[in-house]
Amino acid sequence: MTDPAINAPSGATSAGAASPAAPVAEAPVQARATPRNQWWDVWDQFRTHRGALLGLACFLLIVVMVVLGPLLWRLDATFIDIRAKNTRHIVACFGLDWGAIISCFLNPAEAEGLKVSWAHPLGTDQLGRDILARMISGGQVSLAVGMTAMALALIVGTGIGVLAGYFKRLDGLLMRFTDLFLALPLLPLLLVIIMLFRDPLRAAFGPAEGIFILIVFVIGITSWMQTARIVRGDVLALKEREFVLAARSIGTPSRRMVTRHILPNVMSPIMVSATLGIANAIITESALSFLGLGFPSDFPTWGRLLFDGTDYLQQYPERVVWPGVFISLAVLSVNYIGDGLRDALDPRIRGR
Amino acid sequence: MLNFTIRRLLLSVPVLVIISFVIFMLLELAPGDPMANVPLTVPPEVKEKMREALGLGEPWHIRFVKWLIQFFVVEPQVLFDHVFGTGFAEDKLRVISWQTRSPVMDIVVQRIPQTLWVVGMSYVIGVLIALPIGVISAYKQYSIFDQIGTFVSMIGFSVPTFFSGVLLIVIFSVNLGWFPSIYDTTHKVNDWSSFVFQMKQMIMPVSVLALYNAAQISRFMRASMLDNLNQDYVRTARAKGMTEKVVVLVHVLRNSMIPVVTVIALGVPQVFGGAIITEQVFKVNGLGQLLITAIQANDLPMVQTLTFIFAVLIVVFNLVADVLYGVLDPRIRYD
């Protein structure tokens, strides 16, 4: 909060809350020099939420790592180097005697009773595929699934929410439809759908693309309901406002009413559900992969790597820990971003 | 209130029928043949007979109605016979699993205790942990306790159960060797040492699920308490000279519990769904594991029945939540 333009009204509101001296609060607001985009206010509020800022940094770091990773780490995720199979990750050096740790890090090839190598810092799997490369390409798939499924859920949810809120005739029908979806047991249904439609889609679009389309579609189509409900509620409230009446009185057609006046004003709940949607989609995708009904093993995702790792839990716990840590970190940071956004977009809290 | 309950009960019947229809059609439309695993040497006419024996020969609407009758008429009759020793359901066809050729509901009944023990226990423990944490961290907002509490609940909420479960196995079973990593459902409790063993094998699955549930509920509890703590009636109660304990634990807590109770009720069916993963991690052979094995074995009657049972749970607990809301909050009476 370095900007005086922001500090002034915030000081005023706190003064107003302490004593009902309202006239004092008017003056500094007029002193505001240039009008500011409201998103700067949102950003200023967002910055004060330490967890959210940290979450944003962490999430961006993960995204950058996953996107730029293949440029820096050139090993192929599917390249099989059978001689290097079952290499431990480099952190395993800490398991050695005190004296041996440093030499293990400097010259891992000569470490006693431990197969570690800087060529594979996170180790390799039972076929000798490099786990770091698999983590990078798995992250690409996991994040891509998360974002695409979130986008799909948002489009469906916002569409249904706006239609139900704006057009009274559709409201009852669409909301019963939403209720019906909320009453479906989602995880069992997801499993059933994937089991049933996996093979035809893989045959139609190719092994990786088919399952990607299926999983994105299935996650998107089962997670739009909360967004639809929230958006509908907001649209219903917006419809009673004067500016909507004014816009209607000059003859704005419904289509432009929705795109120009309604949608921009429901952006904040949509953004919050977007962040929560990413988290939800990442978790669901990994859960499906973990249950063995997600991506096949040669197209790794974080969930799939975790699932593959559980078979070697006793000897190589790191194969479970690394993907798990990254799933949790991604979800945790996205959830913190969502928390911060919710606070920042709430006009009752902003400027306090 | 009674009117509302009856109306909602009646309304949930078509909802359930639609849901069962959706599930049925989904399985119906799906490509995939239950005869796919039969050897190719079996002649086609024998295969056709095998299909008919599975009840697949008839058109879908007849099979749907038959399934409805089996599920809603025959199975309750079987239950009735079982309880009262009558003979209504004798030689009536029940929903038969393709895997085991035994009635689906018998298997479900066998599996329910494991799920209820592990999942039910963890939900109860989760709620018991969450409520005090939510109350304290709202009352002392921004204190260290609150900071730690919200952080832990954020972690519990974000770390998926299939990772926290596996992590617990790595730490406590593999490295420390304190608890068994596989839940032994054949274990019987008959003396102190077997009771200790039962406790040991339950600790990990229960704590994984309890952490997850507690994280969600404590967030709700905290938010709800915070909403109420700034209300005028709290100031009035303090101004009347009531002790802080009475103000918080009687006035505020009771009002904040209203939304939380409904959230707890709404969470019960989700727990059964979420237990699918935890049961898979710890190899508990409960309902979730039954569903997974049925899916993998293409056992459609089993999948259909189990999914429908989950749907019934959701509808029932939605109804319970709505009714509870009306009972607890006199301002909402729906009439």
Side-chain angles (χ1 to χ4, degrees):
Chain A
M1 288 279 186
T2 48
D3 193 335
I6 296 302
N7 266 343
S10 74
T13 36
S14 61
S19 66
V24 186
E26 294 297 323
V29 175
Q30 286 169 352
R32 202 166 173 163
T34 47
R36 246 171 132 231
N37 190 338
Q38 61 158 340
W39 294 106
W40 284 112
D41 291 359
V42 171
W43 169 243
D44 276 333
Q45 179 65 34
F46 187 80
R47 271 195 320 196
T48 60
H49 196 300
R50 219 180 320 143
L53 216 56
L54 217 67
L56 186 66
C58 184
F59 188 67
L60 286 181
L61 192 71
I62 292 177
V63 170
V64 166
M65 247 160 54
V66 156
V67 173
L68 299 184
L71 299 177
L72 301 173
W73 192 251
R74 291 189 165 267
L75 271 176
D76 188 52
T78 50
F79 177 71
I80 294 177
D81 177 9
I82 201 73
R83 284 198 194 140
K85 72 168 182 176
N86 293 337
T87 309
R88 298 290 312 261
H89 62 162
I90 203 82
V91 186
C93 281
F94 284 112
L96 294 173
D97 291 331
W98 281 110
I101 290 179
I102 292 176
S103 70
C104 169
F105 272 109
L106 292 176
N107 194 0
E110 286 170 17
E112 294 247 339
L114 196 64
K115 191 172 173 185
V116 284
S117 152
W118 280 110
H120 305 289
L122 296 189
T124 57
D125 66 0
Q126 72 280 9
L127 294 175
R129 292 177 290 194
D130 182 60
I131 289 187
L132 180 58
R134 284 168 76 73
M135 286 291 297
I136 291 171
S137 76
Q140 285 171 350
V141 180
S142 284
L143 292 182
V145 167
M147 295 197 188
T148 337
M150 174 273 290
L152 182 64
L154 272 195
I155 291 170
V156 177
T158 313
I160 289 188
V162 168
L163 285 181
Y166 193 77
F167 299 105
K168 204 155 190 197
R169 270 172 301 144
L170 295 174
D171 190 19
L173 184 73
L174 286 178
M175 281 299 113
R176 290 298 80 71
F177 184 62
T178 313
D179 288 347
L180 182 75
F181 257 83
L182 279 171
L184 288 173
L186 292 179
L187 190 60
L189 271 189
L190 284 178
L191 296 175
V192 170
I193 296 175
I194 288 178
M195 165 196 70
L196 296 172
F197 295 97
R198 184 168 44 173
D199 296 333
L201 274 171
R202 290 184 68 173
F205 296 100
E209 291 81 4
I211 200 90
F212 185 84
I213 292 171
L214 178 64
I215 287 189
V216 164
F217 177 76
V218 156
I219 295 178
I221 217 74
T222 51
S223 51
W224 53 271
M225 291 85 75
Q226 303 298 344
T227 318
R229 284 186 143 189
I230 297 168
V231 168
R232 170 185 172 266
D234 273 26
V235 172
L236 280 180
L238 274 177
K239 244 172 66 179
E240 305 300 320
R241 298 269 289 273
E242 279 83 4
F243 72 91
V244 175
L245 188 67
R248 188 175 297 147
S249 67
I250 58 169
T252 318
S254 292
R255 181 174 47 83
R256 205 166 312 140
M257 283 292 281
V258 168
T259 50
R260 285 292 281 281
H261 299 289
I262 304 285
L263 270 183
N265 281 300
V266 291
M267 272 319 278
S268 39
I270 294 178
M271 282 175 64
V272 174
S273 35
T275 52
L276 299 182
I278 293 183
N280 176 39
I282 292 177
I283 286 200
T284 313
E285 185 275 316
S286 348
L288 291 174
S289 295
F290 180 78
L291 292 172
L293 284 161
F295 284 83
S297 180
D298 35 355
F299 295 98
T301 68
W302 287 339
R304 181 73 210 191
L305 289 175
L306 207 165
F307 176 61
D308 290 344
T310 45
D311 294 341
Y312 303 92
L313 196 57
Q314 302 219 336
Q315 303 99 332
Y316 309 104
E318 67 266 18
R319 287 187 202 165
V320 170
V321 171
W322 283 110
V325 163
F326 271 86
I327 296 172
S328 310
L329 260 185
V331 174
L332 190 69
S333 55
V334 169
N335 274 340
Y336 263 116
I337 296 173
D339 251 24
L341 261 186
R342 192 186 347 228
D343 287 357
L345 292 169
D346 189 344
R348 286 174 303 176
I349 299 179
R350 204 189 304 158
R352 214 197 284 168
Chain B
M1 205 59 221
L2 187 68
N3 254 336
F4 169 77
T5 314
I6 292 170
R7 204 169 63 227
R8 279 294 312 265
L9 263 177
L10 290 179
L11 207 74
S12 59
V13 172
V15 169
L16 281 178
V17 171
I18 294 175
I19 290 176
S20 65
F21 183 69
V22 168
I23 297 170
F24 182 84
M25 282 318 283
L26 195 67
L27 295 175
E28 189 63 27
L29 287 175
D33 183 9
M35 294 286 110
N37 287 335
V38 174
L40 288 173
T41 47
V42 175
E45 58 268 23
V46 178
K47 261 191 184 174
E48 203 50 46
K49 284 209 172 133
M50 288 166 78
R51 291 175 153 281
E52 272 168 35
L54 288 174
L56 278 173
E58 285 160 279
W60 63 265
H61 53 272
I62 294 184
R63 276 185 289 132
F64 178 59
V65 173
K66 274 191 167 172
W67 181 82
L68 279 184
I69 292 173
Q70 282 173 347
F71 191 85
F72 284 106
V73 180
V74 179
E75 294 297 342
Q77 280 178 342
V78 171
L79 183 70
F80 192 82
D81 290 352
H82 187 75
V83 176
F84 298 101
T86 48
F88 288 116
E90 271 172 28
D91 24 273
K92 283 186 184 160
L93 192 62
R94 302 176 62 186
V95 187
I96 302 289
S97 154
W98 289 349
Q99 267 174 300
T100 60
R101 304 295 148 104
S102 60
V104 167
M105 287 311 273
D106 288 1
I107 307 173
V108 170
V109 169
Q110 286 170 9
R111 299 298 185 93
I112 282 179
Q114 283 87 292
T115 296
L116 273 189
W117 261 112
V118 176
V119 178
M121 178 82 94
S122 63
Y123 201 55
V124 171
I125 291 179
V127 170
L128 289 182
I129 297 173
L131 296 186
I133 289 181
V135 170
I136 297 173
S137 59
Y139 186 64
K140 306 218 155 142
Q141 197 188 1
Y142 303 131
S143 67
I144 294 186
F145 183 89
D146 181 33
Q147 306 268 351
I148 295 174
T150 41
F151 182 65
V152 170
S153 76
M154 199 58 155
I155 286 186
F157 179 72
S158 302
V159 178
T161 48
F162 54 83
F163 179 51
S164 49
V166 170
L167 203 61
L168 285 194
I169 291 183
V170 169
I171 297 172
F172 292 106
S173 302
V174 176
N175 288 346
L176 297 174
W178 288 356
F179 309 121
S181 71
I182 293 177
Y183 187 92
D184 177 11
T185 36
T186 58
H187 179 71
K188 289 218 169 27
V189 177
N190 40 25
D191 56 358
W192 177 248
S193 65
S194 65
F195 176 74
V196 170
F197 181 77
Q198 175 70 16
M199 283 295 113
K200 269 187 173 175
Q201 69 173 355
M202 276 179 69
I203 281 181
M204 286 203 298
V206 167
S207 52
V208 164
L209 272 176
L211 175 72
Y212 186 68
N213 297 322
Q216 284 181 323
I217 296 169
S218 74
R219 279 166 67 89
F220 273 107
M221 188 74 223
R222 177 174 178 272
S224 173
M225 282 291 283
L226 281 178
D227 273 352
N228 273 292
L229 274 171
N230 293 324
Q231 301 269 326
D232 290 340
Y233 73 85
V234 181
R235 197 184 311 145
T236 312
R238 286 201 180 116
K240 283 197 298 184
M242 287 173 155
T243 56
E244 203 58 20
K245 197 175 149 198
V246 174
V247 172
V248 175
L249 291 185
V250 178
H251 287 73
V252 180
L253 182 62
R254 276 176 61 170
N255 279 301
S256 332
M257 279 304 283
I258 296 170
V260 177
V261 165
T262 60
V263 166
I264 292 174
L266 285 177
V268 174
Q270 281 174 9
V271 164
F272 280 90
I276 293 174
I277 294 165
T278 320
E279 286 183 0
Q280 198 68 10
V281 172
F282 291 100
K283 312 278 191 285
V284 182
N285 61 345
L287 289 180
Q289 197 255 0
L290 185 64
L291 181 74
I292 299 276
T293 47
I295 284 177
Q296 279 159 356
N298 231 344
D299 183 357
L300 295 191
M302 179 77 91
V303 173
Q304 192 181 349
T305 311
L306 273 176
T307 323
F308 188 63
I309 290 175
F310 286 130
V312 171
L313 280 174
I314 293 179
V315 171
V316 166
F317 279 97
N318 268 316
L319 180 67
V320 169
D322 277 359
V323 172
L324 268 181
Y325 213 92
V327 170
L328 292 175
D329 192 344
R331 290 168 300 183
I332 300 170
R333 275 289 141 93
Y334 305 115
D335 298 322

